[in-house]
Amino acid sequence: MEFEHEHHELTHHRVQEFLGELFDDLYLDPENAHFYVGYGSTVLEISVEPYGPEETIVEVTAYCVQGADLSENLLLGLLELNHELRVGAFSLVGNDIFFSQKIFGRSLERKNLLGTIAAVANTSDEYDDRIVDKYGGQTALDRIRDTGGRNKRRAVDPSAAPS
């Protein structure tokens, strides 16, 4: 991974250290330098991105629901939730729903990262089953169970590996 500035590199290593202390199943993707951990019924992606010449943003993203039917009611409901929630926000990529929260890296402490991880995972866990029940799709954990995870998918079809 190529870092844009010294603080970017320092924050990345700090996040890796904190996550290593908090999780046994930490995975660092060598392609994008994002971290992945399982938490409850979701999978979390933690990334460190540069923000200006001397700051970084640490983003914690939950894979909430994959393959939902994106009806107008669901989309409006997610927007209303974004307005009501104290932290984080829902977002869409294709038919997949994510929940994420960002924090600044310069003042990052272990307890802030853990609090952000817990808030994102708990919010995703609170809403993923509700969304699936009403609008279809699968929770991240169900998707992993059905597909056998990344390693099984690669063994079956090497072209199925995420890019």
Side-chain angles (χ1 to χ4, degrees):
M1 157 133 202
E2 192 171 313
F3 298 102
E4 287 197 22
H5 47 69
E6 181 182 2
H7 182 65
H8 185 205
E9 183 174 8
L10 291 172
T11 304
H12 187 272
H13 292 304
R14 190 177 204 179
V15 167
Q16 185 171 14
E17 176 186 336
F18 292 161
L19 292 174
E21 294 169 2
L22 297 168
F23 297 96
D24 292 330
D25 65 343
L26 178 63
Y27 174 75
L28 174 60
D29 189 331
E31 292 179 28
N32 63 15
H34 293 185
F35 302 96
Y36 296 86
V37 295
Y39 192 110
S41 67
T42 193
V43 175
L44 299 175
E45 177 179 6
I46 299 99
S47 63
V48 179
E49 303 298 334
Y51 185 75
E54 297 182 13
E55 183 59 275
T56 54
I57 297 290
V58 178
E59 181 173 21
V60 178
T61 302
Y63 289 71
C64 190
V65 175
Q66 295 182 317
D69 176 22
L70 302 182
S71 71
E72 185 176 338
N73 284 340
L74 173 60
L75 298 177
L76 289 173
L78 292 175
L79 284 174
E80 288 174 6
L81 276 172
N82 282 348
H83 179 72
E84 294 170 11
L85 293 169
R86 295 187 187 271
V87 296
F90 285 96
S91 62
L92 299 171
V93 176
N95 285 33
D96 298 339
I97 300 169
F98 298 86
F99 184 78
S100 64
Q101 181 178 334
K102 299 173 184 172
I103 53 178
F104 285 105
R106 183 165 289 287
S107 58
L108 183 68
E109 294 181 18
R110 184 178 183 270
K111 68 180 180 179
N112 301 102
L113 181 60
L114 180 58
T116 300
I117 287 169
V120 169
N122 290 333
T123 303
S124 179
D125 195 38
E126 179 180 346
Y127 288 100
D128 62 0
D129 288 326
R130 293 184 201 180
I131 293 169
V132 168
D133 287 346
K134 195 166 183 179
Y135 301 101
Q138 292 181 298
T139 66
L141 188 59
D142 288 340
R143 174 76 174 167
I144 289 169
R145 286 180 182 146
D146 284 355
T147 63
R150 178 193 314 242
N151 291 337
K152 184 174 180 184
R153 287 191 307 273
R154 282 185 179 162
V156 173
D157 179 7
S159 66
S163 49

